[in-house]
Amino acid sequence: SFAEHPISAGAKPGILGRSAPMRHDLREQLSPHQQCRQFLAAELAPGGLVLDVGCGTGNLMKELARMGYAVSGVEIDAALVEACRDDGLEVREGRAESLPFPDESVDAVVCSVVLPYTDERAAVKEWARVLRSGGVANASCHGLGYGVRYLIGGPGLKTRF
């Protein structure tokens, strides 16, 4: 059950325990970054420390900083870590399954289109470890449409089958 799952320790019921209420018209197509901004605006006051797991080029971190959040990132790719640092972002090299942050050190964890490429159970346990009591987490993943679009419009069916 949710109450027995390690991620529930300190988590807000309603964020991880059940689906959060939709805050937009279902006909809108929101990108993962748009969904993340909307989620954080509803759940976390500006000034909170947000950890972007798998931050890539740091685009979401820059957006969140403009919204008033303190941001840190973790990225597995050393070249992307350096590029982010060159842009003035605080990014550490690391893996989602072993975050280089102390226990209960962040107010929110965001993970955009990265979780399926990790050991998901280990990554989510790490989120629970680094989140402060009452912290929130937001993960977005590709939907079914992404895979279907890749199959149909990718480099060619012959290369995949």
Side-chain angles (χ1 to χ4, degrees), residues 34-158:
Q34 291 170 319
Q35 292 172 18
C36 182
R37 288 190 308 269
Q38 185 179 61
F39 170 81
L40 286 175
E43 302 298 336
L44 184 66
L49 176 57
V50 178
L51 174 59
D52 186 352
V53 177
C55 62
T57 60
N59 290 337
L60 179 58
M61 292 177 65
K62 293 172 192 172
E63 291 179 36
L64 296 176
R66 284 192 293 271
M67 292 173 63
Y69 297 103
V71 292
S72 290
V74 173
E75 174 57 47
I76 195 170
D77 184 314
L80 290 175
V81 170
E82 285 306 312
C84 286
R85 289 177 180 166
D86 289 347
D87 284 346
L89 298 171
E90 196 247 304
V91 176
R92 300 177 190 181
E93 188 172 347
R95 300 182 64 84
E97 300 90 340
S98 180
L99 296 171
F101 286 83
D103 295 354
E104 299 183 24
S105 58
V106 302
D107 299 301
V109 171
V110 296
C111 185
S112 298
V113 195
V114 171
L115 189 61
Y117 305 101
T118 68
D119 174 343
E120 294 174 6
R121 185 175 299 265
V124 171
K125 282 179 78 171
E126 277 294 277
W127 299 353
R129 182 185 65 75
V130 301
L131 278 171
R132 292 183 180 124
S133 179
V136 295
N138 177 271
S140 55
C141 301
H142 292 299
L144 177 62
Y146 178 84
V148 170
R149 187 178 67 186
Y150 177 78
L151 277 172
I152 294 170
L157 290 174
K158 290 181 182 180

Side-chain angles (χ1 to χ4, degrees), residues 15-35:
I15 300 304
L16 299 172
R18 61 178 171 77
S19 296
M22 296 300 290
R23 300 187 197 294
H24 65 277
D25 186 318
L26 291 175
R27 292 171 290 185
E28 294 178 24
Q29 295 296 315
L30 298 179
S31 74
H33 286 189
Q34 291 170 319
Q35 292 172 18

